[in-house]
Amino acid sequence: AQRVTQPEKLLSVFKGAPVELKCNYSYSGSPELFWYVQYSRQRLQLLLRHISRESIKGFTADLNKGETSFHLKKPFAQEEDSAMYYCALSFSSGSRLTFGEGTQLTVNP
Amino acid sequence: SQTIHQWPATLVQPVGSPLSLECTVEGTSNPNLYWYRQAAGRGLQLLFYSVGIGQISSEVPQNLSASRPQDRQFILSSKKLLLSDSGFYLCAWSDSGVPQHFGDGTRLSIL
């Protein structure tokens, strides 16, 4: 069965430092992977998807099939990046998403 | 612009009582609609999704059901709530497969 693991429930960095939110998955096929974000007092929203190979708000994520990982990275964290981040995997048409438990990122001034 | 409304925000219900959570979307047509649940300490779990009126796919067999009586209305129901139904319920919609926009959620507590 497919599974998404975010090993860190809490992650704290200082402003300007690099940040990496880890995500590992288990799935035998070819998955699609996504990152969702929820800022304080805001709704959960889609941040980026691996097939787009895009950079959103300075964040990037590369799918590493060998390591079955999809880590979210940003070279210089900002205070406004503080939020809850969820990694998610889709193994079919996209309607079925499996979410990780989330990582709460805090960027300190 | 598109908006999604979900209510109520908080609900406390006794065991065995019925449930009805409603979600409506504005500003789009024929969206994919989703119901998710987040139990304490766990990730989001897909409960139901719908690609059109009257079309409901159930992901997890359980005490809940969903209906889509109108294009932009998605209802989560139960005839008799269990203690294990407690959790945080999120409605979401998309126009291209994966959920893109989420509601504010409903915190359901079963006593």
Side-chain angles (χ1 to χ4, degrees):
Chain A
Q2 65 285 351
R3 185 185 175 110
V4 177
T5 303
Q6 292 179 250
E8 303 146 323
K9 290 191 184 302
L10 302 171
L11 181 62
S12 184
V13 300
F14 285 102
K15 176 183 174 181
V19 61
E20 180 180 72
L21 293 95
K22 291 184 169 55
C23 173
N24 291 92
Y25 66 92
S26 60
Y27 178 60
S28 58
S30 296
E32 290 185 53
L33 284 134
F34 308 84
W35 276 99
Y36 286 79
V37 61
Q38 185 168 23
Y39 301 100
S40 178
R41 290 186 293 276
Q42 293 188 30
R43 296 173 175 179
L44 185 64
Q45 58 186 289
L46 178 63
L47 178 63
L48 56 79
R49 57 185 75 191
H50 92 271
I51 58 173
S52 300
R53 304 186 69 82
E54 57 199 345
S55 174
I56 304 294
K57 299 183 179 182
F59 283 98
T60 58
D62 292 319
L63 177 60
N64 186 323
K65 292 187 177 180
E67 296 183 357
T68 60
S69 68
F70 188 56
H71 303 327
L72 184 68
K73 301 177 184 179
K74 185 170 182 176
F76 307 102
Q78 303 300 312
E79 289 180 67
E80 56 265 31
D81 296 328
S82 296
M84 189 72 166
Y85 291 82
Y86 293 93
C87 182
L89 175 154
S90 170
F91 61 93
S92 62
S93 64
S95 296
R96 299 175 177 84
L97 274 182
T98 299
F99 281 84
E101 294 185 20
T103 298
Q104 179 67 49
L105 172 65
T106 301
V107 181
N108 299 301
Chain B
S1 63
Q2 304 96 343
T3 56
I4 180 170
H5 302 282
Q6 185 181 341
W7 68 93
T10 305
L11 189 60
V12 180
Q13 291 284 97
V15 169
S17 64
L19 172 74
S20 181
L21 303 181
E22 190 162 341
C23 173
T24 59
V25 180
E26 297 176 359
T28 187
S29 61
N30 198 33
N32 292 340
L33 296 171
Y34 310 84
W35 277 110
Y36 281 87
R37 177 172 63 194
Q38 184 173 31
R42 301 181 64 181
L44 290 166
Q45 180 186 40
L46 178 63
L47 301 176
F48 302 94
Y49 74 94
S50 171
V51 298
I53 296 175
Q55 300 178 60
I56 309 295
S57 294
S58 174
E59 292 297 304
V60 183
Q62 56 194 320
N63 188 41
L64 302 170
S65 62
S67 61
R68 185 170 177 173
Q70 301 180 45
D71 181 45
R72 289 168 288 178
Q73 184 184 29
F74 205 24
I75 298 172
L76 183 68
S77 304
S78 174
K79 293 183 179 179
K80 295 179 71 173
L81 287 166
L82 306 172
L83 283 174
S84 57
D85 292 324
S86 292
F88 188 66
Y89 290 82
L90 276 171
C91 179
W93 75 272
S94 75
D95 55 14
S96 60
V98 295
Q100 296 165 295
H101 309 281
F102 288 78
D104 288 325
T106 296
R107 177 75 57 190
L108 176 63
S109 299
I110 310 300
L111 303 179

